[in-house]
Amino acid sequence: MKPGPAKGRRSRATSLGAVLACLVLIAFAQPVARAQTLTPGLFPPLRNGLALPQQPLLRGTSDSIADTTGDQANAARQGDPDTPAPSRIFHIPTYDQAAASGASDTGFDSLNRSRKKTKFLPGQPRPKPPPGPGSPVPLTLMPAAASTATPPIALPPSATANKPPIPPAMAGTVDGQPPRKRLKVDDDPFGEVGDHGGGFLVKSAVEISGGYDTNPGRTFIPRGSPFYVVAPEVLAVSDWERHAVVADLRGSFTGYGTTFPPTIDGAISTAPTNVDRPDFTGHIDGRLDVTEDTRLTSELRLRVSTDNPGSPNIQAGLAKYPIYTTLGGTFGFDQNFNRLNIAAGGTVDRTVYQDSTLTDGTTATNDDRNFTQTGGVGRLSYAVLPGLEPFAEVEGDSRVHDLQLDRFGYARDSSGGYAKAGSSFEFSRLLTGDISVGYALRDYVDTRLDRLQGLLTSASLTWSATPLTTAKFYSDTSIDETTLPGVSGVLTHIYTVEIDHDFRRWLTGIGKFTYGTLDYQGDGRHDKTYSVSGDLIYKMTRNMWLKGTLRRDWLDSNIAGNSTNSTVVMLGVRLQN
C-alpha cells in the first residue's frame, strides 16, 4: 500500500530538518577534523629516505593570506597538530609572471586581449615605462601621520645641483616634443663659418703677408727686395630649393718697397723698374632648373693680371708691367637622359692690354695684342657607376685681333680647338675629381706661322689617404699668345702635386711641388719651371690663422742668359669669417 501525499511531505520535511540540525552542529561545535590544505606540514621531513622540499607546491599565495594567517602558517610548518592550516577559500593566488606578459605589442595575447599601442596627441602626457631589471628602488614619501618612525635619510646633493637649469625645450622633456636631432660632427672646427644674407651663404677672408724675395723680377742677375701681399677673397653660394648661383672672387696685390735701376752693369734690364703686380681671378656660375632633367647654365668670368716675370713677351725699358684684362662668359644647357648627360654652350672672351709705360716717360701701344675669342664647347658623359662617369669633350674657337698685323708684321688671327676624353671619380669620398687626356691644335692666318699643336692633359684629383693626410694633383694645358717674331704661340703644361697633413687640428703642414713646360713653337725655345714650397699654418681661432711660407723657384731655359732662380720667405695672417 502506497503512502499518501501528506505522509510523503511529512517524511521529506523530517529529513530536511535533520540535515539542517547537523549543519548547525558542525558550524558551532569544536572541530574534530578540518579540511586539510597542501602545505609542507602535512608531510614528514623524510619519506622513503628522500628529503622533501621545504617550499609549498603552489608557486604563490595571496598577500592577504600572508598578512592575516602568518601565525597559523608558521605553526603548521612547525608541525603543531592543534593549529589549523590557513584556509585558501575565496583567495585568488598570484604568480611571478602575469598572464600574457611576454606578448607582442600588436595583435592579441593569450587572454584574447588587444595589444594595440595607445595613440597620444601632441602635448598629451605619456605614462612612464616600468623600471627595468637592475633599476634602483624609487624612494616613497610616507604621509605625515604615519611618519612616526625614524626620519628619512638625508641624500647628498646631486652632481647638477650647482648648474643652471636647462629649459625644457632644450632638454627635450616637453610632452609631445619630438626628440632633438644629434648635431653633426664638425669636420673642420677651425674653418670659416660665413654669414647668411638673404638666400646666400657668404664667406669672406683676407690675407696680409710680408716677406723677402731674392729675385722678384726673375732676371738673370738676381736683385732682391722686401714685399707685402694683400689678398682678399669672397665666396657666395645660394641656398635655394631650385636653381643655383655661385660666386668665387679671389684677388691679390703684391707690392715691393724697392724701385730698381733701369740698367745693370751697363746692360738694359729685362725687368721693369717697378715690379708691383695685381692679380684677380673671379667667376659667377648660374643654373636655371627648367625641369628635373633640363637646366640652363651660364658663367661670367674675369681675369686681371700681367705677364709673368721673366717672360720674353716683356718689352725692354718698361717702367712697370702692363695690365691685361680678360672678360668672358659661357651660356649653354645641360640635359639628362637617364644616365646619359649632354652639355653644350657658346663662349665669348675679350682680352685687352694697357699701354706700356717706358722708363723714358713715353708710352707704347699694345693694341696688336688685343683680341676677341668666340667658340663653342660640348661634353658627353655616361654614369657607369655611382662613382665613375666617363666623358668626352670637344671645343672649337676663333681668335680675331684688333689689328690685322702685329708690331713685327705678322697676322696672328687664328682658329683651333681641342678634343679630350677622361672620367670623373668619387669612390667612397677617398678619391674624387676628374682626369682627361687629349690633343690641341691651332692654325694661323699667316702662312709663316706653323701650326701649334701638342698633347693636352687636364686633371684635378683629391685623394684622402688618411683622416689626417690629403694628396692633391692638378694639371692644366693652355695655348697662349706671344709677340715674338716667327713664333706661333706657347704650348704650356703645368703639373702640381700637393700634400696636406694635420699634425693637430690647429696645426697644418702643406708641401707642394710644381713642374711646368713652355714650348715656344717656331724658334726652338723650350723652358722648364720648377717650384718647391712648404707652408705651416697655425689656426688660432676660426677667424684668425697664422701662416708661414718658404718657396724656391727655378726657370731653366735652353736659351743662354734666360735661366733664373729665386727664394721667397713670407709670414702673414689670415682673417676670415
Side-chain angles (χ1 to χ4, degrees):
M1 181 176 180
K2 297 180 180 180
K7 186 177 180 179
R9 286 193 294 271
R10 287 193 299 269
S11 178
R12 289 193 295 271
T14 303
S15 300
L16 181 60
V19 171
L20 292 175
C22 293
L23 292 177
V24 171
L25 292 175
I26 292 173
F28 292 97
Q30 179 67 26
V32 178
R34 295 180 180 271
Q36 295 179 348
T37 59
L38 195 59
T39 60
L42 298 178
F43 301 97
L46 295 176
R47 175 177 290 183
N48 298 331
L50 298 176
L52 295 178
Q54 299 300 318
Q55 298 295 333
L57 298 182
L58 293 177
R59 294 290 303 274
T61 59
S62 63
D63 295 338
S64 60
I65 294 176
D67 295 337
T68 59
T69 62
D71 296 338
Q72 296 178 3
N74 293 334
R77 293 190 185 95
Q78 296 175 2
D80 188 355
D82 296 333
T83 303
S87 175
R88 289 174 172 79
I89 301 175
F90 303 113
H91 294 283
I92 300 176
T94 58
Y95 302 92
D96 295 342
Q97 297 291 336
S101 59
S104 175
D105 292 336
T106 60
F108 296 87
D109 59 14
S110 59
L111 300 181
N112 200 27
R113 296 177 300 187
S114 175
R115 303 286 291 181
K116 292 183 179 179
K117 294 182 177 180
T118 305
K119 295 183 178 180
F120 297 93
L121 298 176
Q124 182 179 357
R126 289 167 168 76
K128 296 183 179 180
S135 300
V137 178
L139 298 177
T140 59
L141 299 178
M142 300 178 59
S147 60
T148 59
T150 58
I153 301 175
L155 298 178
S158 63
T160 59
N162 298 326
K163 295 183 180 180
I166 301 177
M170 296 296 295
T173 57
V174 178
D175 293 335
Q177 180 185 5
R180 294 176 58 84
K181 294 183 179 180
R182 186 182 297 275
L183 296 178
K184 181 182 177 181
V185 178
D186 194 348
D187 298 331
D188 188 3
F190 291 94
E192 51 190 339
V193 179
D195 296 320
H196 286 276
F200 287 86
L201 173 62
V202 181
K203 297 182 179 181
S204 59
V206 59
E207 292 188 12
I208 303 174
S209 307
Y212 188 84
D213 191 339
T214 60
N215 190 5
R218 301 302 187 268
T219 56
F220 182 72
I221 301 177
R223 296 179 296 173
S225 172
F227 69 94
Y228 66 91
V229 179
V230 179
E233 60 184 61
V234 175
L235 176 64
V237 181
S238 63
D239 188 12
W240 304 334
E241 183 178 357
R242 295 183 58 197
H243 319 304
V245 174
V246 177
D248 189 359
L249 312 176
R250 303 174 185 271
S252 67
F253 179 82
T254 305
Y256 294 86
T258 302
T259 301
F260 301 100
T263 60
I264 302 177
D265 298 335
I268 299 178
S269 173
T270 57
T273 57
N274 185 353
V275 292
D276 295 348
R277 298 183 60 204
D279 189 274
F280 177 83
T281 301
H283 62 90
I284 302 176
D285 301 330
R287 189 192 75 236
L288 180 64
D289 298 333
V290 180
T291 64
E292 183 179 358
D293 298 324
T294 304
R295 296 168 292 274
L296 300 180
T297 59
S298 63
E299 180 187 66
L300 182 64
R301 50 186 173 268
L302 176 63
R303 179 81 167 99
V304 178
S305 187
T306 65
D307 289 324
N308 293 324
S311 171
N313 294 328
I314 298 176
Q315 299 171 259
L318 284 177
K320 62 179 181 179
Y321 291 112
I323 300 173
Y324 73 85
T325 302
T326 300
L327 177 63
T330 301
F331 307 93
F333 70 93
D334 191 320
Q335 177 68 45
N336 287 334
F337 298 97
N338 200 356
R339 295 186 178 185
L340 181 66
N341 177 265
I342 299 177
T347 63
V348 57
D349 294 273
R350 172 68 176 170
T351 301
V352 177
Y353 279 81
Q354 281 185 342
D355 291 342
S356 298
T357 302
L358 305 179
T359 55
D360 58 3
T362 62
T363 60
T365 181
N366 288 311
D367 291 344
D368 58 339
R369 304 186 66 180
N370 301 339
F371 66 91
T372 302
Q373 175 178 306
T374 57
V377 59
R379 181 185 176 105
L380 181 68
S381 61
Y382 185 80
V384 178
L385 298 173
L388 180 64
E389 187 173 353
F391 66 87
E393 184 174 322
V394 178
E395 189 266 352
D397 61 73
S398 176
R399 294 178 180 177
V400 178
H401 289 72
D402 291 357
L403 300 181
Q404 185 178 1
L405 301 177
D406 68 357
R407 64 193 66 183
F408 297 104
Y410 287 89
R412 293 196 171 273
D413 293 347
S414 62
S415 61
Y418 65 83
K420 64 179 180 180
S423 179
S424 60
F425 304 92
E426 188 175 355
F427 295 139
S428 302
R429 304 303 301 174
L430 295 179
L431 179 63
T432 59
D434 60 81
I435 185 171
S436 63
V437 178
Y439 197 78
L441 57 86
R442 179 164 296 278
D443 293 321
Y444 294 86
V445 174
D446 199 319
T447 57
R448 295 174 295 175
L449 300 176
D450 297 333
R451 169 182 287 182
L452 193 153
Q453 55 188 349
L455 182 67
L456 181 148
T457 59
S458 178
S460 177
L461 296 175
T462 301
W463 175 40
S464 299
T466 69
L468 301 178
T469 305
T470 302
K472 302 177 182 179
F473 175 71
Y474 306 102
S475 176
D476 190 21
T477 302
S478 62
I479 297 178
D480 303 321
E481 296 286 315
T482 183
T483 59
L484 296 179
V487 178
S488 302
V490 184
L491 182 64
T492 304
H493 294 88
I494 301 295
Y495 308 92
T496 302
V497 177
E498 178 182 326
I499 298 178
D500 302 352
H501 181 75
D502 293 333
F503 300 100
R504 294 290 187 271
R505 292 189 300 175
W506 43 267
L507 185 63
T508 302
I510 302 175
K512 184 184 297 184
F513 173 75
T514 301
Y515 170 74
T517 61
L518 294 86
D519 186 11
Y520 295 84
Q521 297 186 4
D523 68 346
R525 176 169 177 169
H526 189 79
D527 294 347
K528 297 180 181 180
T529 60
Y530 307 89
S531 179
V532 178
S533 65
D535 297 340
L536 189 63
I537 302 176
Y538 172 50
K539 303 174 182 179
M540 302 181 64
T541 65
R542 281 188 180 271
N543 304 112
M544 186 169 66
W545 296 0
L546 297 180
K547 182 178 180 181
T549 301
L550 176 62
R551 189 178 77 241
R552 177 71 173 176
D553 301 330
W554 296 271
L555 188 148
D556 184 13
S557 178
N558 61 346
I559 304 298
N562 289 276
S563 298
T564 63
N565 59 77
S566 176
T567 301
V568 179
V569 179
M570 185 167 53
L571 180 64
V573 60
R574 175 183 174 89
L575 305 176
Q576 62 184 16
N577 183 22

